[in-house]
Amino acid sequence: MKKIILGLSLLSIVACASTNAANTKGVKPQEPINQGYWQQHVSYTMDIDMNVKTYQYKGIQKLVYTNNSPDVLDKVFYHLYFNAFQPNSQMDVRSRNIKDPDKRVGDRISKLSPSEIGYIKVGSLKQNGVAVKHETVGTILEVTLNEPIQPGQSVTFDMVFDAQVPKQIRRSGRDNAEGVALSMTQWYPKMAEYDFEGWHTPPYIGREFHGVWGDFDVTLHIDKNYVVGGTGYVQNPQEVGHGYEDKTQPLNLPSGGKLTWKFTAPNVHDFTWGADPKFAHDTYKMDNGIDLHFFYKKTLAPEFLENWKKLQPKTAELMNYYSKNVGQYPYKQYSVIQGGDGGMEYAMCTLITGQRKWGSLFGVTAHELAHTWFQFLLATNESKHPWMDEGFTTYISNKAENEILGEGKVNPHAGSYRGYNYVVQNNIEEPLTTHADRYNTNTGYGIASYSKGNIFLSQLEYIIGEENVAKTLKKYFEDFSFKHPTPNDIKRTAEKVSGIQLDWYLNEWTQTIHTIDYGIKSVNGKEVTLERIGQMPMPIDVEVTYTDGSKESFNIPLRMMRGEKPTNATIITDWTFAHPTYTFTTKKDVKSVEIDPSKLMADVNLENNIYPAE
């Protein structure tokens, strides 16, 4: 996940987490908000033996899969993400053919040698102890079951696999640009999601992920000099040391060249880890009992090391901000780990590059940590609705940065409005309903997901009021955390909170590329005429300055809203979609008029929003 602001700054994102032997029972999903809701469940037990010299590892995986759907399943599918890092893979070919390739990828996959590629090779797979037919097709393992899985039934899949960590190119890999040895994201055979829409088995081409909630029990054997930070809680801290141990108790380090790390992670939909022999490991204990873990290279330049120390209390402030303004963080720890190729969120942690100036380090952490709420606790389908994760994350992290750093920005989302206007003016905008992998350009995808997705909420403040949007986010989290919400869910939540009908807004902003353009057509004494030039309708705020110097604000509701936001402005007759112009009469002669002084409405032409023209 990334953060895009047009200027244009593009930050990537990666996430992970590390340890704490306390509270391994974890967080349980809330009860469904209606009796028709269901979701699948997975329980992984994995034993991984890593060779840090060859970057190859062997895995044994036991997966208990519970079919909570009303459907009989005769197939299942796994993601094998590392297979994307091979010449002529779909990720490789797409990157070499798209108009504006991601510079981190470019043609690099096509040039990987056999020792540099990534792969996951499934050696054997059994269903309830009996070998089952399976075929690897790119980044997907297709499994034809011996016996269908009935509704309510749990089955056990036993798998043996071999894998190789690719050279660091995108999100995952070995020896990244800053010398971090292992960024282990999307590294294991991962069961695909099956929900009310069916199976979700997109090939890994470059975008992000969708997964099944469950429990993880992971044992990792790795060179004893490596410090590991990952999703979940370390269960044997006295046997691994490296900053996890209880300092009041003696260590019990085993002899030999490897340490065995044991992690458990309750109720997450991913498991990530990073490791390096030169990691420093700091723990920052929050007053609410949450431990923040920080992993970064001891060899960083002094100014970068200072920034990583400075980051620790600020991350605690971010954690408190998001818990207060979205919903309480439900786990006992979170980890910020140097690694990856920019910034990327994962369960209970993030991977970020670490050689950054202070503002950049804080900004990427603010964004990636915010993803915890919108991707790892709400967990929308990022392939289909990336704007609900990236955009909402951008919205709340912009607000958090503005407050915590005391930036004092009137509109902390202004960069997103510039980005949106860029794609409109350059005719590269596509609807937010476009599948993430199938945008014509990376720029179009990025600005749609980050900028236009952010504006969905910031502009909603203009429509239903800032206080109602704040209440909407909290209610949305309360009702839909651990439930993979859809666009209709955020819309209905906002409707219930505000009492305003918003079907038109969800349709226009996410399913079309209609633009907003309102203008002042004429002013004649006390009579003001406005016009709708763009296709997308909106309620209109107008500020009038009279010839005597006094001012008055007016709110013109959109009729199809069937209501209006809380406001101190004078509310006048609503405006219908079908009427292209609207005239109202003031009490005094008018000197000047301005449409939307807040600039929260994404009007694509501000030049006709002020009379007289400047």
Side-chain angles (χ1 to χ4, degrees), residues 200-450:
H200 296 277
T201 59
Y204 184 32
I205 295 178
R207 302 305 179 203
E208 298 171 39
F209 315 105
H210 193 39
V212 190
W213 268 291
D215 303 316
F216 288 76
D217 186 326
V218 178
T219 299
L220 171 65
H221 311 280
I222 192 170
D223 184 287
K224 65 182 180 181
N225 295 314
Y226 276 61
V227 183
V228 181
T231 301
Y233 308 105
V234 169
Q235 298 300 293
N236 58 337
Q238 300 307 113
E239 296 177 5
V240 296
H242 290 309
Y244 291 110
E245 69 274 15
D246 180 349
K247 303 292 185 182
T248 66
Q249 302 295 323
L251 284 172
N252 183 28
L253 299 179
S255 59
K258 288 187 176 183
L259 288 180
T260 295
W261 298 70
K262 298 179 180 180
F263 290 90
T264 61
N267 204 30
V268 294
H269 56 85
D270 193 21
F271 191 98
T272 294
W273 55 281
D276 192 272
K278 294 183 179 179
F279 266 162
H281 174 200
D282 296 340
T283 302
Y284 186 95
K285 293 185 175 294
M286 296 179 61
D287 293 339
N288 58 9
I290 296 173
D291 288 345
L292 302 177
H293 295 261
F294 298 85
F295 300 85
Y296 54 93
K297 298 274 281 190
K298 300 174 184 178
T299 52
L300 286 172
E303 63 268 27
F304 298 135
L305 291 174
E306 181 181 351
N307 289 341
W308 274 86
K309 295 292 187 181
K310 186 178 178 181
L311 179 66
Q312 296 172 25
K314 289 297 181 185
T315 303
E317 290 184 54
L318 288 166
M319 179 71 76
N320 286 333
Y321 183 93
Y322 299 141
S323 291
K324 176 183 176 182
N325 290 282
V326 185
Q328 181 59 48
Y329 181 74
Y331 306 103
K332 295 300 181 182
Q333 71 176 45
Y334 185 85
S335 298
V336 181
I337 303 172
Q338 184 183 358
D341 59 4
M344 179 67 201
E345 72 285 353
Y346 296 99
M348 299 171 66
C349 64
T350 179
L351 290 180
I352 62 174
T353 47
Q355 295 176 181
R356 295 172 178 265
K357 295 181 179 180
W358 164 244
S360 175
L361 186 66
F362 178 79
V364 71
T365 303
H367 186 84
E368 304 310 328
L369 176 56
H371 271 298
T372 289
W373 282 260
F374 294 108
Q375 176 49 18
F376 279 92
L377 295 175
L378 286 157
T380 51
N381 183 341
E382 287 186 275
S383 293
K384 295 186 67 175
H385 315 297
W387 61 275
M388 295 182 69
D389 172 40
E390 294 295 355
F392 293 6
T393 293
T394 300
Y395 173 84
I396 202 67
S397 62
N398 284 350
K399 283 182 168 287
E401 291 182 58
N402 197 40
E403 178 173 310
I404 292 171
L405 296 183
E407 295 174 332
K409 296 177 181 177
V410 175
N411 181 5
H413 316 295
S416 290
Y417 286 79
R418 291 194 296 271
Y420 168 65
N421 277 309
Y422 176 86
V423 294
V424 170
Q425 299 303 326
N426 286 275
N427 296 314
I428 58 173
E429 184 189 10
E430 297 177 65
L432 294 185
T433 50
T434 305
H435 189 280
D437 281 316
R438 295 191 279 277
Y439 277 82
N440 287 323
T441 63
N442 280 319
T443 301
Y445 159 79
I447 293 178
S449 301
Y450 295 82

Side-chain angles (χ1 to χ4, degrees), residues 2 34 36 47 63 84 167 171 277 289 439 474 499 563 572:
K2 309 120 214 162
N34 63 69
D47 191 285
L63 172 59
K167 183 177 181 180
R171 297 190 178 96
Y439 277 82
K474 291 182 180 180
I572 52 180

Side-chain angles (χ1 to χ4, degrees), residues 36-255:
Y37 181 83
W38 55 267
Q39 65 184 31
Q40 309 295 64
H41 186 269
V42 290
S43 181
Y44 290 91
T45 301
M46 290 190 283
D47 191 285
I48 307 299
D49 189 16
M50 170 62 73
N51 184 327
V52 297
K53 294 182 179 179
T54 64
Y55 298 104
Q56 294 176 353
Y57 55 102
K58 296 182 180 297
I60 300 172
Q61 180 190 91
K62 180 183 292 294
L63 172 59
V64 179
Y65 182 77
T66 302
N67 178 19
N68 291 317
S69 82
D71 306 323
V72 176
L73 305 180
D74 56 7
K75 290 186 176 182
V76 298
F77 301 86
Y78 289 76
H79 295 281
L80 307 175
Y81 291 106
F82 272 8
N83 290 354
F85 300 99
Q86 300 174 12
N88 205 41
S89 70
Q90 289 199 61
M91 182 184 284
D92 171 37
V93 174
R94 174 65 167 165
S95 180
R96 287 188 283 117
N97 284 279
I98 197 168
K99 181 180 180 181
D100 56 342
D102 185 327
K103 293 180 180 179
R104 292 166 293 192
V105 182
D107 63 353
R108 293 175 63 205
I109 296 176
S110 68
K111 298 177 180 178
L112 292 177
S113 68
S115 65
E116 295 173 328
I117 66 170
Y119 61 74
I120 299 176
K121 297 178 181 179
V122 177
S124 67
L125 180 63
K126 296 179 180 180
Q127 176 190 354
N128 291 337
V130 179
V132 65
K133 181 180 178 182
H134 58 90
E135 180 182 7
T136 297
V137 182
T139 61
I140 298 295
L141 182 74
E142 301 177 351
V143 182
T144 302
L145 300 176
N146 297 327
E147 297 289 340
I149 309 175
Q150 302 297 321
Q153 183 182 11
S154 295
V155 299
T156 300
F157 294 102
D158 290 290
M159 179 187 293
V160 177
F161 65 94
D162 294 285
Q164 178 170 286
V165 186
K167 183 177 181 180
Q168 177 75 50
I169 290 179
R170 191 67 188 97
R171 297 190 178 96
S172 298
R174 68 190 200 229
D175 295 328
N176 82 341
E178 296 177 347
V180 175
L182 291 168
S183 299
M184 298 296 288
T185 70
Q186 309 298 332
W187 57 275
Y188 60 93
K190 180 177 179 180
M191 182 64 73
E193 180 65 284
Y194 181 86
D195 62 17
F196 72 100
E197 294 180 310
W199 284 105
H200 296 277
T201 59
Y204 184 32
I205 295 178
R207 302 305 179 203
E208 298 171 39
F209 315 105
H210 193 39
V212 190
W213 268 291
D215 303 316
F216 288 76
D217 186 326
V218 178
T219 299
L220 171 65
H221 311 280
I222 192 170
D223 184 287
K224 65 182 180 181
N225 295 314
Y226 276 61
V227 183
V228 181
T231 301
Y233 308 105
V234 169
Q235 298 300 293
N236 58 337
Q238 300 307 113
E239 296 177 5
V240 296
H242 290 309
Y244 291 110
E245 69 274 15
D246 180 349
K247 303 292 185 182
T248 66
Q249 302 295 323
L251 284 172
N252 183 28
L253 299 179
S255 59

